[in-house]
Amino acid sequence: MEVTLLEATEDPEDLVCKAARNDYSAEFVGGQSIEATMETVEGDTLEEKKETLIGHLLDHGHFGPFEHPQITFAIEGVSRSCMAQITRHRHVSFDVQSMRYVSFDDVDPADVRDGEMVVVPPSATDPEWVGRNQKQGAVDEADVERRAEIFRDTIEDAVESYQELLDLGMPPEDARFVLPIGTKVNIVMSMNARMLMHVADMRAAADAQWEIREMTEELLDIAGEWCPITFDHYEREMKNRKNRLAP
Ligand SMILES: Cc1cc2nc3c(=O)[nH]c(=O)nc-3n(C[C@H](O)[C@H](O)[C@H](O)COP(=O)(O)OP(=O)(O)OC[C@H]3O[C@@H](n4cnc5c(N)ncnc54)[C@H](O)[C@@H]3O)c2cc1C
């Protein structure tokens, strides 16, 4: 998986502060410098004033101003299972690589065993891995070897069958039905800073699946550079709070 930043609002936290100050200021924030907008906020420097205001907004659940800054990510090589999970978030905009227009006819099925085209989850090969709703009890080495063998044989066979169906003239949009849910997909997705915190509440949580959790942690790393005050506060004060929305 690779998560990269495609585009993001410049000076996102100035924008949050301007939007929030607009609510409580008699002055018009349009055309005003950020220094003028923040003049009466507590703090010695502009940075401190932003920390005061942004911390106050987040602590009081005043999330509206965080809807103005937008960010777009490009994500490479997550499973279609992960895609099904992230696309449940209705305030995120998506473009998803099509399997009607892109056919994976040049992939060597033997490479699929090592993670080409299909995500191989750690539980296929790692004896120490603990996942949800797993059969209890000790797992011996032979079980793990067999698990890896079944998983790899199955995905290799599926890709071989898919390519054979393409060769036999089946359209990619139908031949794809034989591919596993772990088949990789590239996604472009955009959301605002408020939504990113909501996605993180749901998907960086311990009960989320490892793949979407890993992806969300990478989104948060990028967000931390983009909106440092906001996401630092989020990570310190909010991320593991008890009353997050639960499914
Ligand atoms: C660990 C985990 C397990 C899950 N398991 C399952 C599962 O087994 N089956 C399954 O189907 N889903 C499952 N989900 C998905 C989950 O139920 C939600 O659909 C998904 O997390 C989207 O989040 P959301 O409901 O907050 O909505 P989002 O689309 O992210 O919207 C954000 C917020 O906007 C508001 N909102 C958006 N649309 C509406 C609306 N129409 N009406 C009222 N308020 C709205 C809500 O406050 C919502 O929280 C799981 C999610 C997680 C994190």
Side-chain angles (χ1 to χ4, degrees), residues 88-91 132 195 198 202-203 207-208 245 247:
R88 292 298 298 276
H89 294 286
R90 291 159 283 185
H91 306 294
R132 260 191 156 185
M195 192 57 204
H198 177 69
M202 303 272 103
R203 305 302 185 174
D207 56 354
L245 284 170

Side-chain angles (χ1 to χ4, degrees), residues 132 201-210 212-213 244 246-247:
R132 260 191 156 185
D201 280 353
M202 303 272 103
R203 305 302 185 174
D207 56 354
Q209 200 182 359
W210 62 272
I212 196 163
R213 214 168 55 223
R244 67 183 174 84

Side-chain angles (χ1 to χ4, degrees), residues 98-103 162 166 170-178:
S98 168
M99 291 180 85
R100 298 182 71 201
Y101 298 103
V102 181
S103 53
Y162 166 75
L166 294 179
M170 200 166 177
E173 64 182 15
D174 295 335
R176 65 179 165 172
F177 282 35
V178 301

Side-chain angles (χ1 to χ4, degrees), residues 25-201:
S25 169
E27 304 292 324
F28 178 47
V29 297
Q32 216 179 32
S33 70
I34 185 70
E35 287 78 9
T37 303
M38 300 295 278
E39 197 179 348
T40 58
V41 177
E42 196 186 306
D44 292 333
T45 62
L46 180 59
E47 196 63 12
E48 279 181 21
K49 286 168 186 268
K50 285 194 218 171
E51 282 169 13
T52 304
L53 181 56
I54 288 173
H56 180 84
L57 293 170
L58 292 173
D59 288 342
H60 290 80
H62 186 171
F63 297 126
F66 297 91
E67 290 180 15
H68 299 291
Q70 290 276 332
I71 187 162
T72 304
F73 300 99
I75 296 153
E76 185 184 34
V78 288
S79 70
R80 289 201 165 245
S81 167
C82 181
M83 181 196 82
Q85 295 171 29
I86 191 69
T87 52
R88 292 298 298 276
H89 294 286
R90 291 159 283 185
H91 306 294
V92 181
S93 305
F94 294 97
D95 268 277
V96 167
Q97 187 183 32
S98 168
M99 291 180 85
R100 298 182 71 201
Y101 298 103
V102 181
S103 53
F104 302 91
D105 47 5
D106 57 348
V107 173
D108 182 343
D111 294 340
V112 173
R113 304 179 76 82
D114 301 317
E116 177 87 14
M117 195 177 151
V118 179
V119 175
V120 177
S123 58
T125 51
D126 181 355
E128 306 297 327
W129 189 268
V130 178
R132 260 191 156 185
N133 304 324
Q134 192 167 354
K135 203 171 152 196
Q136 298 299 309
V139 180
D140 65 30
E141 222 170 275
D143 284 348
V144 179
E145 271 173 31
R146 180 73 189 123
R147 216 152 72 183
E149 193 180 302
I150 292 174
F151 192 93
R152 289 183 166 137
D153 287 353
T154 307
I155 58 178
E156 185 180 350
D157 284 353
V159 171
E160 253 169 20
S161 302
Y162 166 75
Q163 292 180 342
E164 198 175 342
L165 291 171
L166 294 179
D167 289 343
L168 293 168
M170 200 166 177
E173 64 182 15
D174 295 335
R176 65 179 165 172
F177 282 35
V178 301
L179 288 174
I181 197 169
T183 303
K184 289 183 181 176
V185 62
N186 299 338
I187 302 172
V188 169
M189 65 180 188
S190 302
M191 67 192 92
N192 60 50
R194 178 184 189 170
M195 192 57 204
L196 185 45
M197 286 186 266
H198 177 69
V199 167
D201 280 353

